[in-house]
Short mmCIF file of all heavy atoms in Angstrom, two decimals:
data_model
loop_
_atom_site.label_atom_id
_atom_site.label_comp_id
_atom_site.label_asym_id
_atom_site.label_seq_id
_atom_site.Cartn_x
_atom_site.Cartn_y
_atom_site.Cartn_z
N ARG M 1 -9.50 -18.72 0.23
CA ARG M 1 -9.75 -17.31 0.54
C ARG M 1 -11.24 -17.02 0.45
O ARG M 1 -11.91 -17.52 -0.42
CB ARG M 1 -9.01 -16.42 -0.45
CG ARG M 1 -7.51 -16.56 -0.32
CD ARG M 1 -6.81 -15.38 -0.91
NE ARG M 1 -5.68 -15.14 -0.03
CZ ARG M 1 -5.19 -13.96 0.23
NH1 ARG M 1 -5.67 -12.91 -0.34
NH2 ARG M 1 -4.18 -13.82 1.04
N VAL M 2 -11.65 -16.14 1.32
CA VAL M 2 -13.06 -15.73 1.33
C VAL M 2 -13.15 -14.31 0.80
O VAL M 2 -12.44 -13.42 1.27
CB VAL M 2 -13.63 -15.79 2.77
CG1 VAL M 2 -15.04 -15.25 2.80
CG2 VAL M 2 -13.56 -17.20 3.30
N TYR M 3 -13.98 -14.12 -0.21
CA TYR M 3 -14.19 -12.80 -0.80
C TYR M 3 -15.56 -12.28 -0.42
O TYR M 3 -16.52 -13.05 -0.32
CB TYR M 3 -14.06 -12.86 -2.32
CG TYR M 3 -12.66 -13.21 -2.78
CD1 TYR M 3 -12.31 -14.51 -3.10
CD2 TYR M 3 -11.69 -12.23 -2.86
CE1 TYR M 3 -11.02 -14.82 -3.52
CE2 TYR M 3 -10.40 -12.53 -3.27
CZ TYR M 3 -10.07 -13.82 -3.59
OH TYR M 3 -8.81 -14.12 -3.99
N LEU M 4 -15.65 -10.98 -0.22
CA LEU M 4 -16.91 -10.35 0.14
C LEU M 4 -17.58 -9.77 -1.10
O LEU M 4 -16.92 -9.17 -1.96
CB LEU M 4 -16.66 -9.21 1.13
CG LEU M 4 -15.96 -9.57 2.44
CD1 LEU M 4 -15.67 -8.31 3.24
CD2 LEU M 4 -16.79 -10.54 3.25
N SER M 5 -18.88 -9.93 -1.15
CA SER M 5 -19.68 -9.31 -2.22
C SER M 5 -20.03 -7.88 -1.79
O SER M 5 -19.77 -7.48 -0.65
CB SER M 5 -20.97 -10.11 -2.42
OG SER M 5 -21.78 -9.99 -1.26
N ARG M 6 -20.64 -7.14 -2.67
CA ARG M 6 -21.08 -5.79 -2.32
C ARG M 6 -22.05 -5.83 -1.14
O ARG M 6 -21.99 -5.00 -0.25
CB ARG M 6 -21.72 -5.10 -3.52
CG ARG M 6 -20.72 -4.71 -4.58
CD ARG M 6 -21.43 -4.14 -5.82
NE ARG M 6 -20.49 -3.92 -6.90
CZ ARG M 6 -20.13 -4.83 -7.79
NH1 ARG M 6 -20.65 -6.04 -7.75
NH2 ARG M 6 -19.27 -4.54 -8.74
N GLY M 7 -22.95 -6.80 -1.15
CA GLY M 7 -23.91 -6.94 -0.05
C GLY M 7 -23.24 -7.25 1.27
O GLY M 7 -23.63 -6.72 2.32
N GLU M 8 -22.22 -8.08 1.23
CA GLU M 8 -21.48 -8.41 2.46
C GLU M 8 -20.65 -7.23 2.95
O GLU M 8 -20.51 -7.02 4.16
CB GLU M 8 -20.60 -9.64 2.22
CG GLU M 8 -21.43 -10.90 2.04
CD GLU M 8 -20.64 -12.06 1.48
OE1 GLU M 8 -19.69 -11.84 0.68
OE2 GLU M 8 -20.97 -13.21 1.83
N ILE M 9 -20.14 -6.42 2.02
CA ILE M 9 -19.43 -5.21 2.41
C ILE M 9 -20.39 -4.26 3.11
O ILE M 9 -20.08 -3.70 4.16
CB ILE M 9 -18.79 -4.51 1.19
CG1 ILE M 9 -17.65 -5.37 0.64
CG2 ILE M 9 -18.29 -3.12 1.56
CD1 ILE M 9 -17.07 -4.86 -0.68
N ALA M 10 -21.58 -4.09 2.55
CA ALA M 10 -22.59 -3.22 3.15
C ALA M 10 -22.91 -3.67 4.57
O ALA M 10 -22.94 -2.86 5.50
CB ALA M 10 -23.85 -3.20 2.29
N GLU M 11 -23.12 -4.96 4.73
CA GLU M 11 -23.43 -5.50 6.05
C GLU M 11 -22.27 -5.30 7.02
O GLU M 11 -22.46 -4.91 8.17
CB GLU M 11 -23.76 -6.99 5.92
CG GLU M 11 -24.26 -7.62 7.20
CD GLU M 11 -24.66 -9.07 6.99
OE1 GLU M 11 -25.35 -9.35 5.99
OE2 GLU M 11 -24.27 -9.90 7.83
N ARG M 12 -21.06 -5.56 6.56
CA ARG M 12 -19.86 -5.44 7.40
C ARG M 12 -19.67 -4.00 7.89
O ARG M 12 -19.25 -3.77 9.02
CB ARG M 12 -18.64 -5.89 6.61
CG ARG M 12 -17.34 -5.93 7.37
CD ARG M 12 -16.22 -6.41 6.46
NE ARG M 12 -15.01 -6.67 7.17
CZ ARG M 12 -14.64 -7.84 7.68
NH1 ARG M 12 -15.41 -8.89 7.55
NH2 ARG M 12 -13.48 -7.97 8.31
N LEU M 13 -19.99 -3.02 7.03
CA LEU M 13 -19.76 -1.62 7.36
C LEU M 13 -21.00 -0.91 7.92
O LEU M 13 -20.93 0.26 8.29
CB LEU M 13 -19.27 -0.87 6.12
CG LEU M 13 -17.99 -1.39 5.49
CD1 LEU M 13 -17.60 -0.55 4.28
CD2 LEU M 13 -16.85 -1.44 6.50
N GLY M 14 -22.13 -1.60 7.94
CA GLY M 14 -23.35 -1.00 8.45
C GLY M 14 -23.92 0.04 7.50
O GLY M 14 -24.54 1.01 7.92
N LEU M 15 -23.72 -0.18 6.20
CA LEU M 15 -24.24 0.72 5.17
C LEU M 15 -25.27 -0.01 4.33
O LEU M 15 -25.33 -1.24 4.35
CB LEU M 15 -23.10 1.21 4.27
CG LEU M 15 -21.97 1.98 4.96
CD1 LEU M 15 -20.81 2.18 4.02
CD2 LEU M 15 -22.48 3.31 5.48
N SER M 16 -26.05 0.74 3.58
CA SER M 16 -27.02 0.09 2.71
C SER M 16 -26.33 -0.43 1.45
O SER M 16 -25.27 0.08 1.04
CB SER M 16 -28.14 1.06 2.32
OG SER M 16 -27.65 2.01 1.39
N LEU M 17 -26.92 -1.43 0.83
CA LEU M 17 -26.39 -1.96 -0.42
C LEU M 17 -26.39 -0.86 -1.49
O LEU M 17 -25.46 -0.76 -2.28
CB LEU M 17 -27.20 -3.18 -0.87
CG LEU M 17 -26.78 -3.80 -2.20
CD1 LEU M 17 -25.31 -4.21 -2.19
CD2 LEU M 17 -27.66 -4.99 -2.52
N ASP M 18 -27.42 -0.02 -1.50
CA ASP M 18 -27.47 1.07 -2.47
C ASP M 18 -26.29 2.02 -2.31
O ASP M 18 -25.74 2.52 -3.29
CB ASP M 18 -28.78 1.85 -2.36
CG ASP M 18 -29.97 1.09 -2.92
OD1 ASP M 18 -29.75 0.17 -3.74
OD2 ASP M 18 -31.10 1.41 -2.55
N THR M 19 -25.88 2.27 -1.06
CA THR M 19 -24.72 3.14 -0.82
C THR M 19 -23.46 2.50 -1.38
O THR M 19 -22.67 3.16 -2.05
CB THR M 19 -24.56 3.41 0.69
OG1 THR M 19 -25.71 4.12 1.15
CG2 THR M 19 -23.32 4.22 0.98
N ILE M 20 -23.27 1.22 -1.13
CA ILE M 20 -22.09 0.52 -1.64
C ILE M 20 -22.09 0.50 -3.16
O ILE M 20 -21.06 0.74 -3.80
CB ILE M 20 -22.00 -0.91 -1.06
CG1 ILE M 20 -21.77 -0.85 0.46
CG2 ILE M 20 -20.90 -1.71 -1.74
CD1 ILE M 20 -20.50 -0.16 0.89
N LYS M 21 -23.25 0.26 -3.76
CA LYS M 21 -23.35 0.28 -5.23
C LYS M 21 -23.00 1.67 -5.77
O LYS M 21 -22.32 1.80 -6.78
CB LYS M 21 -24.75 -0.12 -5.68
CG LYS M 21 -25.03 -1.60 -5.54
CD LYS M 21 -26.44 -1.90 -6.00
CE LYS M 21 -26.78 -3.36 -5.87
NZ LYS M 21 -28.16 -3.64 -6.30
N SER M 22 -23.45 2.71 -5.07
CA SER M 22 -23.15 4.08 -5.48
C SER M 22 -21.65 4.35 -5.36
O SER M 22 -21.05 4.95 -6.25
CB SER M 22 -23.94 5.06 -4.61
OG SER M 22 -23.56 6.39 -4.88
N TYR M 23 -21.04 3.91 -4.26
CA TYR M 23 -19.59 4.07 -4.08
C TYR M 23 -18.85 3.37 -5.22
O TYR M 23 -17.88 3.91 -5.75
CB TYR M 23 -19.14 3.47 -2.76
CG TYR M 23 -19.45 4.28 -1.53
CD1 TYR M 23 -19.13 3.79 -0.26
CD2 TYR M 23 -20.05 5.53 -1.58
CE1 TYR M 23 -19.40 4.52 0.88
CE2 TYR M 23 -20.33 6.25 -0.44
CZ TYR M 23 -20.00 5.75 0.79
OH TYR M 23 -20.26 6.47 1.92
N ASP M 24 -19.29 2.18 -5.56
CA ASP M 24 -18.62 1.42 -6.62
C ASP M 24 -18.76 2.15 -7.96
O ASP M 24 -17.79 2.31 -8.70
CB ASP M 24 -19.21 0.01 -6.69
CG ASP M 24 -18.39 -0.93 -7.54
OD1 ASP M 24 -17.19 -0.67 -7.76
OD2 ASP M 24 -18.94 -1.96 -7.98
N LYS M 25 -19.97 2.62 -8.25
CA LYS M 25 -20.23 3.32 -9.52
C LYS M 25 -19.38 4.59 -9.64
O LYS M 25 -18.90 4.92 -10.72
CB LYS M 25 -21.72 3.66 -9.61
CG LYS M 25 -22.13 4.30 -10.89
CD LYS M 25 -23.63 4.53 -10.92
CE LYS M 25 -24.06 5.21 -12.21
NZ LYS M 25 -25.49 5.47 -12.24
N ARG M 26 -19.18 5.27 -8.51
CA ARG M 26 -18.41 6.52 -8.50
C ARG M 26 -16.90 6.28 -8.39
O ARG M 26 -16.12 7.22 -8.44
CB ARG M 26 -18.86 7.39 -7.34
CG ARG M 26 -20.27 7.87 -7.47
CD ARG M 26 -20.69 8.62 -6.24
NE ARG M 26 -22.09 8.95 -6.31
CZ ARG M 26 -22.63 9.96 -5.64
NH1 ARG M 26 -21.89 10.72 -4.88
NH2 ARG M 26 -23.91 10.20 -5.75
N GLY M 27 -16.50 5.02 -8.21
CA GLY M 27 -15.08 4.71 -8.11
C GLY M 27 -14.49 4.90 -6.72
O GLY M 27 -13.28 5.01 -6.57
N TYR M 28 -15.36 4.95 -5.70
CA TYR M 28 -14.89 5.15 -4.33
C TYR M 28 -14.40 3.85 -3.68
O TYR M 28 -13.58 3.90 -2.77
CB TYR M 28 -15.99 5.74 -3.45
CG TYR M 28 -16.44 7.13 -3.84
CD1 TYR M 28 -17.63 7.63 -3.36
CD2 TYR M 28 -15.69 7.94 -4.68
CE1 TYR M 28 -18.07 8.91 -3.70
CE2 TYR M 28 -16.12 9.21 -5.03
CZ TYR M 28 -17.31 9.69 -4.53
OH TYR M 28 -17.73 10.95 -4.87
N LEU M 29 -14.93 2.72 -4.10
CA LEU M 29 -14.50 1.44 -3.53
C LEU M 29 -13.12 1.09 -4.05
O LEU M 29 -12.74 1.47 -5.16
CB LEU M 29 -15.47 0.32 -3.92
CG LEU M 29 -16.80 0.21 -3.20
CD1 LEU M 29 -17.56 -1.00 -3.71
CD2 LEU M 29 -16.64 0.14 -1.71
N PRO M 30 -12.36 0.34 -3.27
CA PRO M 30 -11.07 -0.13 -3.80
C PRO M 30 -11.32 -1.11 -4.94
O PRO M 30 -12.41 -1.68 -5.07
CB PRO M 30 -10.43 -0.83 -2.59
CG PRO M 30 -11.55 -1.18 -1.69
CD PRO M 30 -12.62 -0.14 -1.91
N ALA M 31 -10.30 -1.31 -5.74
CA ALA M 31 -10.42 -2.28 -6.84
C ALA M 31 -10.68 -3.66 -6.25
O ALA M 31 -10.15 -4.00 -5.19
CB ALA M 31 -9.13 -2.30 -7.65
N PRO M 32 -11.52 -4.46 -6.90
CA PRO M 32 -11.80 -5.80 -6.38
C PRO M 32 -10.53 -6.66 -6.41
O PRO M 32 -9.66 -6.50 -7.26
CB PRO M 32 -12.85 -6.36 -7.33
CG PRO M 32 -12.91 -5.44 -8.49
CD PRO M 32 -12.26 -4.17 -8.12
N ASP M 33 -10.44 -7.56 -5.44
CA ASP M 33 -9.31 -8.49 -5.37
C ASP M 33 -9.50 -9.66 -6.31
O ASP M 33 -8.53 -10.33 -6.66
CB ASP M 33 -9.13 -8.99 -3.93
CG ASP M 33 -8.75 -7.86 -2.99
OD1 ASP M 33 -7.70 -7.23 -3.22
OD2 ASP M 33 -9.52 -7.59 -2.04
N ALA M 34 -10.74 -9.91 -6.71
CA ALA M 34 -11.05 -11.00 -7.64
C ALA M 34 -12.23 -10.59 -8.49
O ALA M 34 -13.13 -9.90 -8.03
CB ALA M 34 -11.37 -12.28 -6.88
N LYS M 35 -12.19 -11.03 -9.74
CA LYS M 35 -13.31 -10.74 -10.63
C LYS M 35 -13.50 -11.94 -11.55
O LYS M 35 -12.56 -12.38 -12.21
CB LYS M 35 -13.01 -9.49 -11.45
CG LYS M 35 -14.20 -8.99 -12.22
CD LYS M 35 -13.97 -7.61 -12.77
CE LYS M 35 -15.24 -7.14 -13.46
NZ LYS M 35 -15.14 -5.79 -13.95
N ILE M 36 -14.71 -12.47 -11.54
CA ILE M 36 -15.07 -13.59 -12.42
C ILE M 36 -16.31 -13.15 -13.17
O ILE M 36 -17.38 -13.01 -12.59
CB ILE M 36 -15.34 -14.87 -11.62
CG1 ILE M 36 -14.10 -15.28 -10.82
CG2 ILE M 36 -15.79 -15.99 -12.53
CD1 ILE M 36 -14.31 -16.43 -9.87
N GLY M 37 -16.15 -12.88 -14.45
CA GLY M 37 -17.27 -12.35 -15.22
C GLY M 37 -17.65 -10.98 -14.69
O GLY M 37 -16.81 -10.11 -14.55
N ARG M 38 -18.91 -10.83 -14.33
CA ARG M 38 -19.38 -9.56 -13.75
C ARG M 38 -19.31 -9.56 -12.24
O ARG M 38 -19.63 -8.56 -11.60
CB ARG M 38 -20.82 -9.30 -14.18
CG ARG M 38 -20.97 -9.09 -15.68
CD ARG M 38 -22.37 -8.72 -16.08
NE ARG M 38 -23.35 -9.63 -15.51
CZ ARG M 38 -24.63 -9.36 -15.33
NH1 ARG M 38 -25.10 -8.21 -15.70
NH2 ARG M 38 -25.44 -10.24 -14.81
N ASN M 39 -18.94 -10.68 -11.64
CA ASN M 39 -18.90 -10.79 -10.18
C ASN M 39 -17.56 -10.35 -9.63
O ASN M 39 -16.51 -10.82 -10.06
CB ASN M 39 -19.18 -12.23 -9.75
CG ASN M 39 -20.56 -12.68 -10.14
OD1 ASN M 39 -21.51 -11.92 -10.00
ND2 ASN M 39 -20.68 -13.89 -10.65
N CYS M 40 -17.62 -9.43 -8.66
CA CYS M 40 -16.41 -8.92 -8.03
C CYS M 40 -16.38 -9.37 -6.58
O CYS M 40 -17.42 -9.56 -5.95
CB CYS M 40 -16.41 -7.39 -8.06
SG CYS M 40 -16.35 -6.71 -9.72
N GLY M 41 -15.16 -9.53 -6.06
CA GLY M 41 -14.99 -9.91 -4.67
C GLY M 41 -13.84 -9.15 -4.04
O GLY M 41 -12.84 -8.86 -4.68
N TRP M 42 -14.02 -8.79 -2.78
CA TRP M 42 -13.01 -8.06 -2.02
C TRP M 42 -12.62 -8.88 -0.81
O TRP M 42 -13.47 -9.47 -0.14
CB TRP M 42 -13.56 -6.72 -1.55
CG TRP M 42 -13.81 -5.73 -2.64
CD1 TRP M 42 -12.98 -4.71 -3.01
CD2 TRP M 42 -14.95 -5.64 -3.50
NE1 TRP M 42 -13.53 -4.01 -4.05
CE2 TRP M 42 -14.74 -4.55 -4.36
CE3 TRP M 42 -16.13 -6.37 -3.63
CZ2 TRP M 42 -15.66 -4.17 -5.34
CZ3 TRP M 42 -17.03 -6.01 -4.60
CH2 TRP M 42 -16.80 -4.91 -5.44
N LEU M 43 -11.33 -8.91 -0.52
CA LEU M 43 -10.87 -9.57 0.69
C LEU M 43 -11.27 -8.73 1.90
O LEU M 43 -11.28 -7.48 1.82
CB LEU M 43 -9.35 -9.74 0.67
CG LEU M 43 -8.81 -10.71 -0.37
CD1 LEU M 43 -7.29 -10.61 -0.45
CD2 LEU M 43 -9.23 -12.14 -0.01
N PRO M 44 -11.62 -9.36 3.01
CA PRO M 44 -12.00 -8.59 4.20
C PRO M 44 -10.94 -7.56 4.60
O PRO M 44 -11.28 -6.44 4.98
CB PRO M 44 -12.18 -9.66 5.28
CG PRO M 44 -12.53 -10.89 4.52
CD PRO M 44 -11.76 -10.80 3.23
N GLU M 45 -9.65 -7.92 4.49
CA GLU M 45 -8.61 -6.96 4.89
C GLU M 45 -8.55 -5.76 3.94
O GLU M 45 -8.23 -4.65 4.37
CB GLU M 45 -7.23 -7.63 5.01
CG GLU M 45 -6.81 -8.44 3.82
CD GLU M 45 -7.17 -9.93 3.89
OE1 GLU M 45 -8.15 -10.31 4.55
OE2 GLU M 45 -6.45 -10.70 3.25
N THR M 46 -8.90 -5.94 2.69
CA THR M 46 -8.97 -4.82 1.74
C THR M 46 -10.06 -3.85 2.16
O THR M 46 -9.86 -2.64 2.19
CB THR M 46 -9.24 -5.34 0.31
OG1 THR M 46 -8.18 -6.21 -0.07
CG2 THR M 46 -9.35 -4.20 -0.70
N VAL M 47 -11.22 -4.40 2.50
CA VAL M 47 -12.36 -3.57 2.92
C VAL M 47 -12.04 -2.86 4.23
O VAL M 47 -12.31 -1.67 4.39
CB VAL M 47 -13.63 -4.43 3.06
CG1 VAL M 47 -14.78 -3.63 3.63
CG2 VAL M 47 -14.01 -5.02 1.70
N ASP M 48 -11.44 -3.57 5.18
CA ASP M 48 -11.12 -2.98 6.48
C ASP M 48 -10.10 -1.85 6.35
O ASP M 48 -10.24 -0.80 6.99
CB ASP M 48 -10.59 -4.04 7.45
CG ASP M 48 -11.66 -5.07 7.82
OD1 ASP M 48 -12.87 -4.80 7.62
OD2 ASP M 48 -11.29 -6.15 8.30
N THR M 49 -9.09 -2.04 5.51
CA THR M 49 -8.09 -1.00 5.29
C THR M 49 -8.72 0.22 4.62
O THR M 49 -8.47 1.36 5.02
CB THR M 49 -6.93 -1.54 4.42
OG1 THR M 49 -6.32 -2.63 5.10
CG2 THR M 49 -5.89 -0.46 4.13
N TRP M 50 -9.56 -0.03 3.62
CA TRP M 50 -10.25 1.07 2.94
C TRP M 50 -11.13 1.84 3.93
O TRP M 50 -11.11 3.07 3.96
CB TRP M 50 -11.08 0.51 1.79
CG TRP M 50 -11.98 1.51 1.15
CD1 TRP M 50 -11.62 2.52 0.30
CD2 TRP M 50 -13.40 1.62 1.31
NE1 TRP M 50 -12.73 3.23 -0.07
CE2 TRP M 50 -13.82 2.71 0.54
CE3 TRP M 50 -14.34 0.90 2.04
CZ2 TRP M 50 -15.17 3.08 0.47
CZ3 TRP M 50 -15.67 1.27 1.97
CH2 TRP M 50 -16.07 2.36 1.19
N GLN M 51 -11.88 1.12 4.75
CA GLN M 51 -12.78 1.74 5.72
C GLN M 51 -11.99 2.58 6.73
O GLN M 51 -12.40 3.69 7.06
CB GLN M 51 -13.59 0.66 6.46
CG GLN M 51 -14.39 1.15 7.64
CD GLN M 51 -15.55 2.05 7.30
OE1 GLN M 51 -15.79 2.38 6.15
NE2 GLN M 51 -16.28 2.46 8.30
N ALA M 52 -10.86 2.09 7.17
CA ALA M 52 -10.06 2.81 8.17
C ALA M 52 -9.45 4.09 7.60
O ALA M 52 -9.18 5.03 8.35
CB ALA M 52 -8.95 1.90 8.69
N ASN M 53 -9.25 4.14 6.29
CA ASN M 53 -8.57 5.28 5.67
C ASN M 53 -9.47 6.22 4.87
O ASN M 53 -8.99 7.23 4.37
CB ASN M 53 -7.45 4.77 4.75
CG ASN M 53 -6.36 4.11 5.56
OD1 ASN M 53 -5.81 4.70 6.47
ND2 ASN M 53 -6.06 2.88 5.24
N ARG M 54 -10.75 5.89 4.76
CA ARG M 54 -11.61 6.76 3.96
C ARG M 54 -12.06 7.96 4.79
O ARG M 54 -12.12 7.89 6.01
CB ARG M 54 -12.80 5.99 3.39
CG ARG M 54 -13.87 5.62 4.38
CD ARG M 54 -14.91 4.73 3.69
NE ARG M 54 -16.03 4.48 4.57
CZ ARG M 54 -17.20 5.09 4.48
NH1 ARG M 54 -17.42 5.97 3.52
NH2 ARG M 54 -18.17 4.82 5.32
N PRO M 55 -12.35 9.08 4.12
CA PRO M 55 -12.79 10.28 4.84
C PRO M 55 -14.09 10.03 5.59
O PRO M 55 -14.88 9.17 5.20
CB PRO M 55 -13.00 11.32 3.74
CG PRO M 55 -12.34 10.78 2.53
CD PRO M 55 -12.28 9.28 2.69
N GLY M 56 -14.29 10.76 6.64
CA GLY M 56 -15.51 10.62 7.43
C GLY M 56 -16.72 11.16 6.70
O GLY M 56 -16.62 11.79 5.66
N ARG M 57 -17.88 10.93 7.26
CA ARG M 57 -19.13 11.37 6.67
C ARG M 57 -19.11 12.89 6.46
O ARG M 57 -18.82 13.64 7.36
CB ARG M 57 -20.28 10.99 7.60
CG ARG M 57 -21.61 11.47 7.13
CD ARG M 57 -22.71 11.04 8.08
NE ARG M 57 -23.81 10.59 7.26
CZ ARG M 57 -24.62 9.63 7.59
NH1 ARG M 57 -24.47 8.99 8.71
NH2 ARG M 57 -25.59 9.29 6.79
N GLY M 58 -19.43 13.30 5.25
CA GLY M 58 -19.50 14.71 4.94
C GLY M 58 -18.16 15.38 4.67
O GLY M 58 -18.11 16.57 4.44
N ALA M 59 -17.08 14.61 4.71
CA ALA M 59 -15.75 15.20 4.48
C ALA M 59 -15.63 15.64 3.02
O ALA M 59 -16.09 14.95 2.12
CB ALA M 59 -14.66 14.20 4.82
N ARG M 60 -15.01 16.77 2.80
CA ARG M 60 -14.77 17.26 1.45
C ARG M 60 -13.54 16.56 0.89
O ARG M 60 -12.46 16.64 1.49
CB ARG M 60 -14.54 18.77 1.45
CG ARG M 60 -15.72 19.62 1.88
CD ARG M 60 -16.75 19.80 0.79
NE ARG M 60 -16.24 20.32 -0.44
CZ ARG M 60 -16.28 21.60 -0.79
NH1 ARG M 60 -16.78 22.51 0.01
NH2 ARG M 60 -15.79 21.97 -1.95
N THR M 61 -13.70 15.90 -0.20
CA THR M 61 -12.57 15.20 -0.83
C THR M 61 -12.06 15.95 -2.05
O THR M 61 -11.08 15.53 -2.66
CB THR M 61 -12.96 13.78 -1.23
OG1 THR M 61 -14.05 13.84 -2.15
CG2 THR M 61 -13.34 12.94 -0.02
N ASP M 62 -12.70 17.08 -2.38
CA ASP M 62 -12.30 17.81 -3.58
C ASP M 62 -11.36 18.96 -3.26
O ASP M 62 -10.94 19.70 -4.15
CB ASP M 62 -13.53 18.34 -4.32
CG ASP M 62 -14.37 19.27 -3.47
OD1 ASP M 62 -14.32 19.15 -2.22
OD2 ASP M 62 -15.06 20.12 -4.03
N LEU M 63 -10.98 19.13 -1.99
CA LEU M 63 -10.09 20.19 -1.59
C LEU M 63 -8.67 19.66 -1.44
O LEU M 63 -8.48 18.54 -1.00
CB LEU M 63 -10.56 20.80 -0.26
CG LEU M 63 -11.97 21.38 -0.26
CD1 LEU M 63 -12.35 21.82 1.14
CD2 LEU M 63 -12.09 22.53 -1.23
N PRO M 64 -7.67 20.48 -1.76
CA PRO M 64 -6.28 20.01 -1.62
C PRO M 64 -5.88 19.88 -0.16
O PRO M 64 -6.42 20.44 0.71
CB PRO M 64 -5.46 21.08 -2.32
CG PRO M 64 -6.34 22.27 -2.49
CD PRO M 64 -7.73 21.81 -2.36
#
C-alpha cells in the first residue's frame, strides 16, 4: 500500500503544505490510515473521498 504524507496531499489537491498542516491541526483532515511514531499516512482513496465531500472554499461549516 502507498500512503500519502501531508506534503503529498498538498500536492495532490493543489494546496500549500501550510494549509494542509493547518487543516490537520484544526482536525479538518480525515484520521490517518497509518501512523508510525509521529509520521502519519493517508491512503489516496481516503484523501480523494474527503476532498469530494468537503465544503467548498468559504463555506460556513458552523451553521446547521
Side-chain angles (χ1 to χ4, degrees):
R1 295 200 143 213
V2 175
Y3 294 97
L4 302 174
S5 67
R6 288 175 187 87
E8 291 166 328
I9 292 172
E11 187 176 315
R12 184 179 189 92
L13 301 181
L15 300 170
S16 73
L17 177 57
D18 286 339
T19 297
I20 295 299
K21 286 180 180 179
S22 174
Y23 284 177
D24 193 21
K25 184 177 179 182
R26 295 175 186 204
Y28 296 164
L29 283 182
D33 295 300
K35 190 168 184 177
I36 300 173
R38 296 184 310 158
N39 297 318
C40 296
W42 291 262
L43 292 170
E45 51 268 27
T46 300
V47 174
D48 293 342
T49 299
W50 172 75
Q51 170 69 358
N53 293 305
R54 73 186 187 102
R57 177 179 223 146
R60 296 281 305 263
T61 59
D62 59 335
L63 302 174

